[in-house]
Amino acid sequence: MEILNLNDKDNKLFYIGGVVRDEILNAESFDVDLTYEGNAIEFAKNIKGLKILKVNEPFGTVRVLIKNKEVDIASTRAEKYERAGHLPTVTKIGCSLKEDVLRRDFTINALAKNVHTGEIIDFTGGLSDIKNKTIKVLHDNSFIDDPTRILRALKFAVRFNFKLDEHTKLLRDNYLKNINYDMSFKRLKKELIETFNLNSQIAYEEFINAEIYKLVTPKEASLAKINIENFIDKYKKLINPDNIWLIYLGTIEDLSNLELTKEEQKIINDYNTIKNSQPKNDYEIYKLFESLKPESVLLYGIMVNVEIAERYLSKLKNINVNITGKDIKGLGIPPSSKYNNCFEYILKEKLKNPKLSYKEELALAKKFFEKE
Ligand code: CTP
């Protein structure tokens, strides 16, 4: 972590949360969270020459420019969950560092590091939990306040190969027996995306076996029969799916709570449309999948028939007809709907013999129209 060169006379500026955890673990950090013990906005305004880009008064945060980089500084703040499962409200800006830390999710995320002295402040035993690879909540209401933390626990467990502490696990399991569905599914979806984009079979098995999926729907779900991680890994380079998380989530029947985007919903709808189809030959396989996003094809493989999906992905997907309408026109045949029949005829031939050259395709087109 680079030491910021700010004139913080009182030594009240801290790195906080994930960034401290990641540095101790020697892991890559996605963002740098800074907090000022007191009012960060006033602090920033008092630094001579510091460029302030944005101020958010109600949250007590300020965005400043340091060495040409945009940096957010938060005020220490206390929060209250007025509606369990929803965003908390800020009750105090400029509280003590300890109070700020105690509103957080896990001990491993509750460490602070003084920006100037480098001292690590550990109010909750986070250092020893990192050492023991343990994820532990800070209080018994943590999952009731914010059930997305159940997924966060799974995400960190998989990312760092940590285990949940026994009491934390008990609190989780109790919560899952009595879920409050009046929650922010937007936040839940964000954690689902981050967790399952890790492409981890271990995460998936825990998600289903420990019934964490019940956060998404009260309907029953069971484990897919194949190892999803291996299946995705095998084809990831070839097909580059954008939404790996949705391949895992697609094994759960009811995603209606998640407010899927149009594109995400299409992946699920397309899969639902084809899931009862059993194509009997290469042409039928090709036609079933040709216009689908790769996620729908993978879902078919996972849930319906892995051989058929693999046949398409490894053998058929890249087969294309190369001649165009212009080429057929060049043969002296006036444009008509028969062009499409001709392309389908050539496609069928190409699926039997993918090595057919452009010239051979053209010869087939000629033959097709001679027969007409
Ligand atoms: N936090 C929390 N409860 C949540 C989300 C976040 O208490 N539901 C706290 C944690 O202390 C966390 C910090 O806010 O460290 C910042 O949140 P976020 O950036 O989501 O977490 P990181 O720990 O930085 O995780 P990641 O590495 O995945 O970004």
Side-chain angles (χ1 to χ4, degrees), residues 17-18 21-22 30-31 33 103-105 109 146 148-149 152 155-156 159 187 190 194:
R21 172 202 70 213
D22 291 342
F30 300 109
D31 52 11
D33 288 321
R103 72 179 162 82
R104 292 170 184 265
D105 52 1
N109 290 342
D146 181 357
T148 66
R149 288 176 172 168
R152 288 175 62 81
K155 174 179 81 177
F156 294 125
R159 196 197 286 170
R187 300 173 77 208
K190 175 182 168 277
E194 288 182 16

PDB file of all heavy atoms in Angstrom, residues 17-18 21-22 30-31 33 103-105 109 146 148-149 152 155-156 159 187 190 194, ligand 1:
ATOM      1  N   GLY A  17     -10.814  -1.872   6.161  1.00  0.00           N
ATOM      2  CA  GLY A  17     -11.584  -2.930   5.511  1.00  0.00           C
ATOM      3  C   GLY A  17     -10.737  -3.826   4.626  1.00  0.00           C
ATOM      4  O   GLY A  17      -9.595  -4.179   4.955  1.00  0.00           O
ATOM      5  N   GLY A  18     -11.301  -4.141   3.445  1.00  0.00           N
ATOM      6  CA  GLY A  18     -10.700  -5.137   2.556  1.00  0.00           C
ATOM      7  C   GLY A  18      -9.248  -4.876   2.194  1.00  0.00           C
ATOM      8  O   GLY A  18      -8.449  -5.820   2.090  1.00  0.00           O
ATOM      9  N   ARG A  21      -6.955  -6.137   4.956  1.00  0.00           N
ATOM     10  CA  ARG A  21      -7.009  -7.607   4.900  1.00  0.00           C
ATOM     11  C   ARG A  21      -6.170  -8.137   3.739  1.00  0.00           C
ATOM     12  O   ARG A  21      -5.339  -9.028   3.909  1.00  0.00           O
ATOM     13  CB  ARG A  21      -8.492  -8.007   4.726  1.00  0.00           C
ATOM     14  CG  ARG A  21      -8.762  -9.466   4.467  1.00  0.00           C
ATOM     15  CD  ARG A  21     -10.126  -9.627   3.790  1.00  0.00           C
ATOM     16  NE  ARG A  21     -10.116  -9.121   2.423  1.00  0.00           N
ATOM     17  CZ  ARG A  21     -11.145  -8.554   1.811  1.00  0.00           C
ATOM     18  NH1 ARG A  21     -12.290  -8.408   2.419  1.00  0.00           N
ATOM     19  NH2 ARG A  21     -11.038  -8.127   0.554  1.00  0.00           N
ATOM     20  N   ASP A  22      -6.364  -7.536   2.562  1.00  0.00           N
ATOM     21  CA  ASP A  22      -5.670  -8.041   1.369  1.00  0.00           C
ATOM     22  C   ASP A  22      -4.157  -7.849   1.468  1.00  0.00           C
ATOM     23  O   ASP A  22      -3.397  -8.689   1.013  1.00  0.00           O
ATOM     24  CB  ASP A  22      -6.210  -7.347   0.110  1.00  0.00           C
ATOM     25  CG  ASP A  22      -7.639  -7.769  -0.201  1.00  0.00           C
ATOM     26  OD1 ASP A  22      -8.066  -8.815   0.328  1.00  0.00           O
ATOM     27  OD2 ASP A  22      -8.330  -7.072  -0.950  1.00  0.00           O
ATOM     28  N   PHE A  30      -9.151  -4.818  -4.771  1.00  0.00           N
ATOM     29  CA  PHE A  30      -9.915  -4.220  -5.861  1.00  0.00           C
ATOM     30  C   PHE A  30     -10.125  -2.720  -5.676  1.00  0.00           C
ATOM     31  O   PHE A  30     -10.243  -1.981  -6.628  1.00  0.00           O
ATOM     32  CB  PHE A  30     -11.251  -4.936  -6.030  1.00  0.00           C
ATOM     33  CG  PHE A  30     -11.062  -6.396  -6.334  1.00  0.00           C
ATOM     34  CD1 PHE A  30     -11.380  -7.365  -5.397  1.00  0.00           C
ATOM     35  CD2 PHE A  30     -10.512  -6.795  -7.541  1.00  0.00           C
ATOM     36  CE1 PHE A  30     -11.173  -8.714  -5.674  1.00  0.00           C
ATOM     37  CE2 PHE A  30     -10.304  -8.137  -7.818  1.00  0.00           C
ATOM     38  CZ  PHE A  30     -10.632  -9.102  -6.883  1.00  0.00           C
ATOM     39  N   ASP A  31     -10.199  -2.304  -4.424  1.00  0.00           N
ATOM     40  CA  ASP A  31     -10.290  -0.854  -4.204  1.00  0.00           C
ATOM     41  C   ASP A  31      -9.624  -0.508  -2.874  1.00  0.00           C
ATOM     42  O   ASP A  31      -9.409  -1.363  -2.028  1.00  0.00           O
ATOM     43  CB  ASP A  31     -11.740  -0.356  -4.251  1.00  0.00           C
ATOM     44  CG  ASP A  31     -12.640  -1.150  -3.324  1.00  0.00           C
ATOM     45  OD1 ASP A  31     -12.110  -1.924  -2.515  1.00  0.00           O
ATOM     46  OD2 ASP A  31     -13.866  -0.991  -3.394  1.00  0.00           O
ATOM     47  N   ASP A  33     -10.046   1.585   0.431  1.00  0.00           N
ATOM     48  CA  ASP A  33     -10.961   2.365   1.266  1.00  0.00           C
ATOM     49  C   ASP A  33     -10.176   3.113   2.333  1.00  0.00           C
ATOM     50  O   ASP A  33      -9.349   2.525   3.040  1.00  0.00           O
ATOM     51  CB  ASP A  33     -11.994   1.441   1.924  1.00  0.00           C
ATOM     52  CG  ASP A  33     -12.996   0.931   0.906  1.00  0.00           C
ATOM     53  OD1 ASP A  33     -13.397   1.717   0.035  1.00  0.00           O
ATOM     54  OD2 ASP A  33     -13.371  -0.259   0.971  1.00  0.00           O
ATOM     55  N   ARG A 103     -19.490  -1.730  13.081  1.00  0.00           N
ATOM     56  CA  ARG A 103     -20.705  -1.873  12.257  1.00  0.00           C
ATOM     57  C   ARG A 103     -20.445  -2.795  11.074  1.00  0.00           C
ATOM     58  O   ARG A 103     -21.318  -3.063  10.281  1.00  0.00           O
ATOM     59  CB  ARG A 103     -21.156  -0.506  11.754  1.00  0.00           C
ATOM     60  CG  ARG A 103     -20.245   0.063  10.693  1.00  0.00           C
ATOM     61  CD  ARG A 103     -20.683   1.401  10.159  1.00  0.00           C
ATOM     62  NE  ARG A 103     -19.606   2.101   9.489  1.00  0.00           N
ATOM     63  CZ  ARG A 103     -19.229   1.889   8.234  1.00  0.00           C
ATOM     64  NH1 ARG A 103     -19.840   0.983   7.499  1.00  0.00           N
ATOM     65  NH2 ARG A 103     -18.235   2.574   7.717  1.00  0.00           N
ATOM     66  N   ARG A 104     -19.249  -3.303  10.930  1.00  0.00           N
ATOM     67  CA  ARG A 104     -18.862  -4.033   9.714  1.00  0.00           C
ATOM     68  C   ARG A 104     -19.205  -5.517   9.779  1.00  0.00           C
ATOM     69  O   ARG A 104     -19.739  -5.993  10.771  1.00  0.00           O
ATOM     70  CB  ARG A 104     -17.377  -3.792   9.442  1.00  0.00           C
ATOM     71  CG  ARG A 104     -17.141  -2.350   9.048  1.00  0.00           C
ATOM     72  CD  ARG A 104     -15.699  -1.954   8.995  1.00  0.00           C
ATOM     73  NE  ARG A 104     -15.607  -0.534   8.711  1.00  0.00           N
ATOM     74  CZ  ARG A 104     -15.449  -0.024   7.491  1.00  0.00           C
ATOM     75  NH1 ARG A 104     -15.320  -0.803   6.448  1.00  0.00           N
ATOM     76  NH2 ARG A 104     -15.401   1.286   7.317  1.00  0.00           N
ATOM     77  N   ASP A 105     -18.907  -6.228   8.683  1.00  0.00           N
ATOM     78  CA  ASP A 105     -19.393  -7.608   8.580  1.00  0.00           C
ATOM     79  C   ASP A 105     -18.560  -8.643   9.340  1.00  0.00           C
ATOM     80  O   ASP A 105     -19.069  -9.366  10.188  1.00  0.00           O
ATOM     81  CB  ASP A 105     -19.587  -8.027   7.113  1.00  0.00           C
ATOM     82  CG  ASP A 105     -18.372  -7.775   6.232  1.00  0.00           C
ATOM     83  OD1 ASP A 105     -17.336  -7.287   6.741  1.00  0.00           O
ATOM     84  OD2 ASP A 105     -18.447  -8.070   5.017  1.00  0.00           O
ATOM     85  N   ASN A 109     -12.521  -8.109   8.035  1.00  0.00           N
ATOM     86  CA  ASN A 109     -12.786  -6.867   7.298  1.00  0.00           C
ATOM     87  C   ASN A 109     -12.858  -5.669   8.231  1.00  0.00           C
ATOM     88  O   ASN A 109     -13.311  -4.594   7.836  1.00  0.00           O
ATOM     89  CB  ASN A 109     -14.117  -6.962   6.546  1.00  0.00           C
ATOM     90  CG  ASN A 109     -14.036  -7.933   5.391  1.00  0.00           C
ATOM     91  OD1 ASN A 109     -12.947  -8.267   4.958  1.00  0.00           O
ATOM     92  ND2 ASN A 109     -15.183  -8.383   4.919  1.00  0.00           N
ATOM     93  N   ASP A 146     -28.195  -7.810   7.689  1.00  0.00           N
ATOM     94  CA  ASP A 146     -27.741  -7.779   6.301  1.00  0.00           C
ATOM     95  C   ASP A 146     -27.456  -9.201   5.798  1.00  0.00           C
ATOM     96  O   ASP A 146     -26.339  -9.692   5.893  1.00  0.00           O
ATOM     97  CB  ASP A 146     -26.465  -6.918   6.228  1.00  0.00           C
ATOM     98  CG  ASP A 146     -25.933  -6.801   4.822  1.00  0.00           C
ATOM     99  OD1 ASP A 146     -26.504  -7.426   3.908  1.00  0.00           O
ATOM    100  OD2 ASP A 146     -24.932  -6.092   4.638  1.00  0.00           O
ATOM    101  N   THR A 148     -27.065 -10.334   2.957  1.00  0.00           N
ATOM    102  CA  THR A 148     -26.076 -10.478   1.873  1.00  0.00           C
ATOM    103  C   THR A 148     -24.724 -10.893   2.447  1.00  0.00           C
ATOM    104  O   THR A 148     -23.890 -11.434   1.751  1.00  0.00           O
ATOM    105  CB  THR A 148     -25.896  -9.170   1.067  1.00  0.00           C
ATOM    106  OG1 THR A 148     -25.315  -8.187   1.914  1.00  0.00           O
ATOM    107  CG2 THR A 148     -27.188  -8.655   0.509  1.00  0.00           C
ATOM    108  N   ARG A 149     -24.543 -10.668   3.732  1.00  0.00           N
ATOM    109  CA  ARG A 149     -23.281 -11.071   4.368  1.00  0.00           C
ATOM    110  C   ARG A 149     -23.092 -12.585   4.349  1.00  0.00           C
ATOM    111  O   ARG A 149     -21.969 -13.083   4.414  1.00  0.00           O
ATOM    112  CB  ARG A 149     -23.232 -10.547   5.811  1.00  0.00           C
ATOM    113  CG  ARG A 149     -23.039  -9.048   5.852  1.00  0.00           C
ATOM    114  CD  ARG A 149     -23.096  -8.517   7.260  1.00  0.00           C
ATOM    115  NE  ARG A 149     -22.722  -7.092   7.294  1.00  0.00           N
ATOM    116  CZ  ARG A 149     -22.896  -6.303   8.340  1.00  0.00           C
ATOM    117  NH1 ARG A 149     -23.444  -6.780   9.439  1.00  0.00           N
ATOM    118  NH2 ARG A 149     -22.507  -5.048   8.286  1.00  0.00           N
ATOM    119  N   ARG A 152     -21.403 -12.991   1.239  1.00  0.00           N
ATOM    120  CA  ARG A 152     -20.048 -12.436   1.366  1.00  0.00           C
ATOM    121  C   ARG A 152     -19.148 -13.425   2.096  1.00  0.00           C
ATOM    122  O   ARG A 152     -17.991 -13.613   1.727  1.00  0.00           O
ATOM    123  CB  ARG A 152     -20.086 -11.084   2.098  1.00  0.00           C
ATOM    124  CG  ARG A 152     -20.671  -9.960   1.252  1.00  0.00           C
ATOM    125  CD  ARG A 152     -20.813  -8.667   2.024  1.00  0.00           C
ATOM    126  NE  ARG A 152     -19.560  -8.099   2.520  1.00  0.00           N
ATOM    127  CZ  ARG A 152     -18.708  -7.378   1.792  1.00  0.00           C
ATOM    128  NH1 ARG A 152     -18.973  -7.151   0.529  1.00  0.00           N
ATOM    129  NH2 ARG A 152     -17.599  -6.897   2.317  1.00  0.00           N
ATOM    130  N   LYS A 155     -18.182 -15.958  -0.349  1.00  0.00           N
ATOM    131  CA  LYS A 155     -17.225 -15.379  -1.315  1.00  0.00           C
ATOM    132  C   LYS A 155     -15.813 -15.330  -0.733  1.00  0.00           C
ATOM    133  O   LYS A 155     -14.855 -15.777  -1.362  1.00  0.00           O
ATOM    134  CB  LYS A 155     -17.695 -13.968  -1.707  1.00  0.00           C
ATOM    135  CG  LYS A 155     -16.732 -13.198  -2.588  1.00  0.00           C
ATOM    136  CD  LYS A 155     -17.267 -11.821  -2.969  1.00  0.00           C
ATOM    137  CE  LYS A 155     -17.063 -10.787  -1.887  1.00  0.00           C
ATOM    138  NZ  LYS A 155     -17.515  -9.430  -2.279  1.00  0.00           N
ATOM    139  N   PHE A 156     -15.707 -14.817   0.496  1.00  0.00           N
ATOM    140  CA  PHE A 156     -14.367 -14.710   1.091  1.00  0.00           C
ATOM    141  C   PHE A 156     -13.804 -16.096   1.419  1.00  0.00           C
ATOM    142  O   PHE A 156     -12.605 -16.332   1.274  1.00  0.00           O
ATOM    143  CB  PHE A 156     -14.407 -13.828   2.350  1.00  0.00           C
ATOM    144  CG  PHE A 156     -14.749 -12.385   2.050  1.00  0.00           C
ATOM    145  CD1 PHE A 156     -15.813 -11.749   2.674  1.00  0.00           C
ATOM    146  CD2 PHE A 156     -14.001 -11.667   1.130  1.00  0.00           C
ATOM    147  CE1 PHE A 156     -16.127 -10.421   2.390  1.00  0.00           C
ATOM    148  CE2 PHE A 156     -14.312 -10.333   0.830  1.00  0.00           C
ATOM    149  CZ  PHE A 156     -15.374  -9.719   1.463  1.00  0.00           C
ATOM    150  N   ARG A 159     -12.582 -17.342  -1.898  1.00  0.00           N
ATOM    151  CA  ARG A 159     -11.475 -16.549  -2.442  1.00  0.00           C
ATOM    152  C   ARG A 159     -10.172 -16.795  -1.671  1.00  0.00           C
ATOM    153  O   ARG A 159      -9.106 -16.890  -2.246  1.00  0.00           O
ATOM    154  CB  ARG A 159     -11.844 -15.057  -2.395  1.00  0.00           C
ATOM    155  CG  ARG A 159     -10.927 -14.220  -3.284  1.00  0.00           C
ATOM    156  CD  ARG A 159     -11.007 -12.746  -2.939  1.00  0.00           C
ATOM    157  NE  ARG A 159     -12.230 -12.098  -3.371  1.00  0.00           N
ATOM    158  CZ  ARG A 159     -12.556 -10.857  -2.978  1.00  0.00           C
ATOM    159  NH1 ARG A 159     -11.762 -10.179  -2.169  1.00  0.00           N
ATOM    160  NH2 ARG A 159     -13.666 -10.310  -3.386  1.00  0.00           N
ATOM    161  N   ARG A 187     -28.474  -5.798  -3.797  1.00  0.00           N
ATOM    162  CA  ARG A 187     -27.201  -6.059  -3.117  1.00  0.00           C
ATOM    163  C   ARG A 187     -26.891  -7.546  -3.132  1.00  0.00           C
ATOM    164  O   ARG A 187     -25.744  -7.966  -3.282  1.00  0.00           O
ATOM    165  CB  ARG A 187     -27.258  -5.557  -1.676  1.00  0.00           C
ATOM    166  CG  ARG A 187     -27.516  -4.077  -1.597  1.00  0.00           C
ATOM    167  CD  ARG A 187     -27.734  -3.639  -0.174  1.00  0.00           C
ATOM    168  NE  ARG A 187     -26.484  -3.559   0.553  1.00  0.00           N
ATOM    169  CZ  ARG A 187     -26.376  -3.725   1.869  1.00  0.00           C
ATOM    170  NH1 ARG A 187     -27.440  -3.996   2.588  1.00  0.00           N
ATOM    171  NH2 ARG A 187     -25.218  -3.626   2.469  1.00  0.00           N
ATOM    172  N   LYS A 190     -25.485  -8.473  -6.496  1.00  0.00           N
ATOM    173  CA  LYS A 190     -24.081  -8.045  -6.634  1.00  0.00           C
ATOM    174  C   LYS A 190     -23.147  -9.089  -6.000  1.00  0.00           C
ATOM    175  O   LYS A 190     -22.123  -9.476  -6.579  1.00  0.00           O
ATOM    176  CB  LYS A 190     -23.905  -6.677  -5.957  1.00  0.00           C
ATOM    177  CG  LYS A 190     -22.476  -6.195  -5.935  1.00  0.00           C
ATOM    178  CD  LYS A 190     -22.348  -4.860  -5.204  1.00  0.00           C
ATOM    179  CE  LYS A 190     -20.912  -4.518  -4.937  1.00  0.00           C
ATOM    180  NZ  LYS A 190     -20.314  -5.133  -3.742  1.00  0.00           N
ATOM    181  N   GLU A 194     -20.343 -11.597  -7.807  1.00  0.00           N
ATOM    182  CA  GLU A 194     -18.935 -11.668  -7.390  1.00  0.00           C
ATOM    183  C   GLU A 194     -18.547 -13.074  -6.929  1.00  0.00           C
ATOM    184  O   GLU A 194     -17.450 -13.544  -7.189  1.00  0.00           O
ATOM    185  CB  GLU A 194     -18.667 -10.651  -6.268  1.00  0.00           C
ATOM    186  CG  GLU A 194     -18.667  -9.227  -6.806  1.00  0.00           C
ATOM    187  CD  GLU A 194     -18.357  -8.187  -5.736  1.00  0.00           C
ATOM    188  OE1 GLU A 194     -17.851  -8.548  -4.662  1.00  0.00           O
ATOM    189  OE2 GLU A 194     -18.632  -7.002  -5.999  1.00  0.00           O
TER     190      GLU A 194
HETATM  191  N1  CTP B   1     -19.131  -4.168   4.557  1.00  0.00           N
HETATM  192  C1  CTP B   1     -20.014  -4.666   5.483  1.00  0.00           C
HETATM  193  N2  CTP B   1     -21.173  -5.303   5.098  1.00  0.00           N
HETATM  194  C2  CTP B   1     -21.460  -5.445   3.782  1.00  0.00           C
HETATM  195  C3  CTP B   1     -20.586  -4.938   2.809  1.00  0.00           C
HETATM  196  C4  CTP B   1     -19.419  -4.317   3.227  1.00  0.00           C
HETATM  197  O1  CTP B   1     -19.760  -4.556   6.680  1.00  0.00           O
HETATM  198  N3  CTP B   1     -22.580  -6.041   3.404  1.00  0.00           N
HETATM  199  C5  CTP B   1     -17.888  -3.487   4.991  1.00  0.00           C
HETATM  200  C6  CTP B   1     -16.688  -4.416   5.173  1.00  0.00           C
HETATM  201  O2  CTP B   1     -15.934  -3.921   6.256  1.00  0.00           O
HETATM  202  C7  CTP B   1     -15.904  -4.268   3.895  1.00  0.00           C
HETATM  203  C8  CTP B   1     -16.157  -2.796   3.553  1.00  0.00           C
HETATM  204  O3  CTP B   1     -17.478  -2.523   4.014  1.00  0.00           O
HETATM  205  O4  CTP B   1     -14.530  -4.555   4.065  1.00  0.00           O
HETATM  206  C9  CTP B   1     -16.045  -2.470   2.077  1.00  0.00           C
HETATM  207  O5  CTP B   1     -16.981  -3.232   1.325  1.00  0.00           O
HETATM  208  P1  CTP B   1     -16.577  -3.949  -0.031  1.00  0.00           P
HETATM  209  O6  CTP B   1     -15.767  -3.035  -0.865  1.00  0.00           O
HETATM  210  O7  CTP B   1     -17.797  -4.592  -0.612  1.00  0.00           O
HETATM  211  O8  CTP B   1     -15.722  -5.130   0.576  1.00  0.00           O
HETATM  212  P2  CTP B   1     -14.247  -5.561   0.454  1.00  0.00           P
HETATM  213  O9  CTP B   1     -13.930  -6.217   1.756  1.00  0.00           O
HETATM  214  O10 CTP B   1     -13.346  -4.476  -0.014  1.00  0.00           O
HETATM  215  O11 CTP B   1     -14.424  -6.724  -0.596  1.00  0.00           O
HETATM  216  P3  CTP B   1     -13.859  -6.900  -2.051  1.00  0.00           P
HETATM  217  O12 CTP B   1     -12.428  -7.282  -1.821  1.00  0.00           O
HETATM  218  O13 CTP B   1     -14.685  -8.027  -2.606  1.00  0.00           O
HETATM  219  O14 CTP B   1     -14.055  -5.583  -2.747  1.00  0.00           O
END
